[in-house]
Amino acid sequence: MKIQRIRGVKDILPNEIWKWQYIESVAHKIFPRYGFNEIRLPIFEDTRLFSRSIGDTTDIVEKEMYTFKDRGGDSITLRPEGTASVVRAYIENKMYNPPSVLKMFYMGPMFRYERPQAGRLRQFNQVGVEAMGSPGPIVDVEIMTMVMEFLKELGLADIKLEINSLGSQECRPQYRELLKTEIEKHIDQLCDNCTARYQRNPLRVLDCKAKECGNVAEGLPKLIDHLDPASAEHFAEVRSLLDSIGTPYSVNPKLVRGLDYYNRTAFEVTSQNLGSQNAICGGGRYDTLVEELEGPSTPCFGFALGLERLVSLIPFNESSDLQKHPDVYIVCLGEEAKSMAFEIAHQLRAKGLSVERDYEMASMKSQMRKANKFQSRFTLIIGENEIRSGKLILKNMDSGEQKECTTEELVSEISEPEVDTQ
Ligand code: HAM
C-alpha cells in the first residue's frame, strides 16, 4: 500500500513557499517596530504544561492533544499552541526584570486532533506574540493595532476586529453561577456537547457554533454587564484608546475563547471569506498564568494567527516578483559546451547569482522551453560556435534582446543594478 500523509496535515510545496516566506518577512518587518523579538521553542513539552495552562475542561485538553509516552515513560504532548511554552520558557530561563515589557514572537507548527475540514487541520502553523509584564490597557491596544496593521500590509480586506472582556476572578465565579442557572432553563434546547459540558464550562455555550445554542445564547446574561469595577474600567479604557487612534472594532459579548487562561480583554480577527472556521487570529490578556505555573506575578497579553487561513485569504498575484526565479538558465549543446556550462555555473553561483541549467543535453528547442518555464531573467546559450569564438549568447528574457559577451563580462551583464534604497 502506498503510504500517504496523515489526515488533517498538509504539504507546503516549493511552488507555494514564497507565499509563506512573504508572510514571515512581513512579520519580521512589523513586529520588531513594536519591540518584539523572535523566540524558538520546542515542539513537544511535558503534558502537564498544557493541561494546567489551557484548562482541563477545554476541548483542546479533553480531546485534541497528541499525547504519548516516550521511551522513558514520560508523558509528552505535541504543542497545541504556543503561549504555554512561552510562559514555561519565561519562568525556566528567569527572563524577569527586562528593561521594559518583554515582547516575543514565534512561528511554527501546532497540533490538535480536531475533525479536519476546510480551514481546520491537525497540524497547522501559527505566528504568535506574547507581551509579558504590563497590566495594560495600552499594551492590549498596541498589540491589537499591530495585528490589524500586519493584516493590512498583507493586503487583507473584509476583516473585523471583535473584542470582549472576560472579567476577572472577582466577577467570573458569580457570573458563571448566574449563567448556569439561566442555561438550565433552556437545557432541552442545547446541543449534546453543551448539555454535557455546561456545568463544567458554561461560558462555552455562548460561542457554541450549533444553531440551537446560538439561539439560546442570544437571551443569556452578558459578562460585560457583570464586570467588577476594575475590569469595567479596563475595558472602557481599551475601547477609548482604540477609538483615539481610529482602529475599527466591534464589541462581541459572546466571544469567550477556547482556552481558559484569559481574563479581561479577549479578541478575535475574523473574515467573512473563511466559511465556518472564520477566525484568523485570536488572543487576549492572561494575567494569572505565569503565577499559576509558579513564576512571579506577571500580567501578559498575546495572540496567535493561523497561517494556513491567512495564506488562503491573501490575494496573491501568481506572477508576483515574490516568486524566486533563476537569474540565468544555461542552455548548452555538445559535450564541450556541457563542461563549459558546468564551470560557468560554478563561477556565477560563487558571485551570488542563481543559476539553473540543462543536465540532460536535450535539443535546443526543448532547452529553450525549459528556460521559459523557469522564468529566468536571462538565458545563456553555449554551442559549438560560441566556444570557438569565445563569445556566448546572452538573451534577456524580458525584452527578448540578445547580445554576445565573454565569460568575463557575464557577471556584470546579469547582475541587477543596485537599488537605491535612500
Ligand atoms: P487559538 O484561538 O486557539 O489561540 O488559535 C489562534 C489561531 O490559530 C486561530 O484563530 C486560527 O486561525 C488558528 N487555528 C487554530 N486551530 C486551528 C486548526 N485546527 N487548523 C487551522 N488553524 C487553526 C491560541 O492558540 C492562543 N495561544 C493565542 C494566544 C496567544 N493568546 C494569547 N497569546
Side-chain angles (χ1 to χ4, degrees):
M1 198 187 68
K2 199 159 63 182
I3 298 170
Q4 297 191 316
R5 61 175 186 262
I6 308 283
R7 201 161 111 83
V9 309
K10 261 181 76 173
D11 300 315
I12 303 168
L13 301 176
N15 66 0
E16 54 185 341
I17 199 69
W18 59 278
K19 300 178 182 177
W20 292 75
Q21 289 167 341
Y22 173 62
I23 295 173
E24 288 160 14
S25 75
V26 175
H28 279 283
K29 182 171 93 180
I30 305 261
F31 296 170
R33 277 187 205 164
Y34 289 77
F36 286 86
N37 251 319
E38 191 175 355
I39 181 166
R40 296 191 187 184
L41 295 166
I43 279 170
F44 53 78
E45 300 267 6
D46 184 324
T47 301
R48 289 168 299 182
L49 174 65
F50 301 114
S51 47
R52 273 172 62 185
S53 54
I54 298 170
D56 279 331
T57 62
T58 57
D59 284 349
I60 297 180
V61 172
E62 273 188 345
K63 47 192 184 197
E64 294 172 1
M65 294 205 303
Y66 279 92
T67 297
F68 58 94
K69 287 243 187 297
D70 70 7
R71 286 172 192 274
D74 294 325
S75 181
I76 305 288
T77 293
L78 299 185
R79 64 181 184 192
E81 59 111 44
T83 310
S85 300
V86 173
V87 172
R88 195 236 350 108
Y90 172 73
I91 298 169
E92 193 166 345
N93 297 293
K94 297 199 170 49
M95 297 157 85
Y96 313 140
N97 307 320
S100 177
V101 174
L102 182 66
K103 299 174 190 162
M104 293 171 277
F105 73 97
Y106 50 89
M107 298 178 189
M110 308 291 160
F111 306 84
R112 296 185 193 174
Y113 191 79
E114 294 196 76
R115 197 166 50 78
Q117 62 181 76
R120 199 206 268 154
L121 293 157
R122 289 183 172 167
Q123 176 177 335
F124 58 96
N125 287 276
Q126 285 187 343
V127 44
V129 315
E130 313 295 347
M132 321 192 68
S134 164
I138 291 179
V139 163
D140 308 21
V141 173
E142 270 195 7
I143 293 179
M144 290 190 282
T145 303
M146 181 174 85
V147 182
M148 298 313 273
E149 191 184 323
F150 174 70
L151 295 173
K152 211 167 95 196
E153 175 87 14
L154 291 170
L156 252 66
D158 291 335
I159 48 169
K160 267 175 51 183
L161 169 64
E162 296 183 12
I163 64 168
N164 193 17
S165 175
L166 300 179
S168 69
Q169 270 314 313
E170 263 180 65
C171 62
R172 230 174 13 214
Q174 288 117 290
Y175 173 73
R176 276 167 59 101
E177 289 313 309
L178 172 69
L179 197 58
K180 270 197 245 174
T181 314
E182 290 302 313
I183 291 171
E184 261 151 26
K185 297 181 186 159
H186 307 275
I187 192 77
D188 51 337
Q189 298 162 41
L190 297 181
C191 75
D192 291 348
N193 203 3
C194 285
T195 311
R197 74 176 168 192
Y198 86 92
Q199 282 283 355
R200 288 174 292 130
N201 200 344
L203 269 77
R204 289 316 303 264
V205 176
L206 294 173
D207 79 338
C208 177
K209 293 269 190 303
K211 196 161 176 264
E212 56 273 34
C213 298
N215 294 338
V216 172
E218 284 301 324
L220 293 172
K222 298 180 173 67
L223 180 48
I224 40 171
D225 297 330
H226 296 266
L227 293 176
D228 57 279
S231 296
E233 191 185 328
H234 185 102
F235 195 46
E237 281 182 55
V238 165
R239 292 165 64 175
S240 125
L241 286 168
L242 283 169
D243 290 335
S244 73
I245 51 170
T247 303
Y249 66 92
S250 58
V251 175
N252 175 0
K254 293 199 287 186
L255 192 160
V256 298
R257 309 278 302 125
L259 305 99
D260 278 356
Y261 47 61
Y262 295 108
N263 65 296
R264 295 200 170 157
T265 317
F267 78 100
E268 282 185 355
V269 181
T270 56
S271 162
Q272 298 150 342
N273 304 328
L274 274 177
S276 66
Q277 301 303 314
N278 66 351
I280 315 165
C281 170
R285 177 156 285 289
Y286 52 100
D287 291 337
T288 52
L289 183 58
V290 178
E291 244 177 318
E292 280 157 25
L293 293 174
E294 292 164 43
S297 166
T298 311
C300 302
F301 191 96
F303 69 76
L305 282 143
L307 285 177
E308 282 77 6
R309 293 185 192 175
L310 199 50
V311 168
S312 75
L313 281 176
I314 298 174
F316 282 111
N317 173 0
E318 292 297 328
S319 54
S320 151
D321 285 350
L322 295 168
Q323 287 206 58
K324 293 192 183 82
H325 301 295
D327 291 312
V328 59
Y329 185 91
I330 306 181
V331 167
C332 50
L333 294 162
E335 277 308 316
E336 229 180 313
K338 189 175 166 186
S339 54
M340 187 171 188
F342 178 72
E343 275 167 35
I344 290 181
H346 176 70
Q347 285 163 13
L348 295 180
R349 286 174 183 142
K351 295 281 182 203
L353 294 168
S354 58
V355 182
E356 252 312 336
R357 56 162 297 173
D358 183 79
Y359 290 95
E360 305 307 327
M361 304 287 289
S363 70
M364 173 82 164
K365 206 165 142 199
S366 134
Q367 292 194 42
M368 288 307 286
R369 242 197 328 263
K370 283 199 210 162
N372 275 326
K373 273 203 186 140
F374 274 106
Q375 297 179 41
S376 57
R377 287 197 298 119
F378 290 92
T379 300
L380 179 66
I381 302 165
I382 316 176
E384 278 170 22
N385 289 345
E386 285 73 33
I387 292 175
R388 227 175 295 121
S389 67
K391 297 265 183 189
L392 312 175
I393 298 174
L394 188 65
K395 180 172 177 187
N396 182 321
M397 300 300 276
D398 255 351
S399 63
E401 186 196 336
Q402 286 196 176
K403 31 162 106 151
E404 290 190 338
C405 58
T406 61
T407 42
E408 291 72 36
E409 288 161 352
L410 274 177
V411 175
S412 61
E413 287 294 335
I414 297 170
S415 298
E416 279 185 288
E418 291 279 322
V419 180
D420 189 0
T421 51
Q422 291 300 300

